[in-house]
Amino acid sequence: MSAVTMDEAARRFLVHVELEQGRSKNTVTAYGKDIAGMLEFSRGRGCEALGDIGIAELRGWLAAQRSAGLSSTTMARRATAVRMFFARASSYISRACCVLMPSGCSQ
């Protein structure tokens, strides 16, 4: 299987959320912004592929959200969107599964 780019993985995730999970347009839009923000933050830290994103990037991203003064509700939604994204993206890369979802890791 050829490598899936971060942006392509995000696009596929949003299609899944909308069509397969039946989430509302507003939810899909919010999740899209959440994922895009996390990916942009990770790129700023030198991550060029999904497999480059680790717990340090995710913790840093969440800390930046907290520093920006976001509400607990918004932070919870963003964390949920990212967790769902990596659960879906684990089929494209093995490292995401191991780093972010240890109980689901087959390695």
Side-chain angles (χ1 to χ4, degrees):
M1 174 196 293
S2 63
V4 174
T5 67
M6 291 193 278
D7 292 333
E8 177 61 15
R11 187 196 67 76
R12 290 180 187 186
F13 169 71
L14 295 174
V15 167
H16 167 76
V17 167
E18 182 176 11
L19 299 180
E20 295 179 32
Q21 292 189 343
R23 301 290 174 106
S24 72
K25 292 277 188 191
N26 288 341
T27 298
V28 174
T29 298
Y31 281 9
K33 289 177 182 179
D34 299 341
I35 300 303
M38 182 275 302
L39 292 177
E40 186 62 30
F41 180 88
S42 297
R43 284 183 180 111
R45 292 219 166 164
C47 298
E48 297 178 8
L50 285 174
D52 297 339
I53 301 171
I55 198 73
E57 288 76 26
L58 295 175
R59 285 183 178 161
W61 175 71
L62 286 171
Q65 307 302 299
R66 175 70 68 198
S67 295
L70 297 178
S71 71
S72 296
T73 303
T74 298
M75 292 208 32
R77 189 207 62 236
R78 289 182 178 189
T80 296
V82 168
R83 186 172 50 252
M84 290 172 57
F85 171 71
F86 276 104
R88 186 82 178 159
S90 67
S91 64
Y92 310 130
I93 55 171
S94 60
R95 185 167 180 259
C97 174
C98 294
V99 171
L100 303 171
M101 307 203 47
S103 63
C105 185
S106 61
Q107 293 181 356

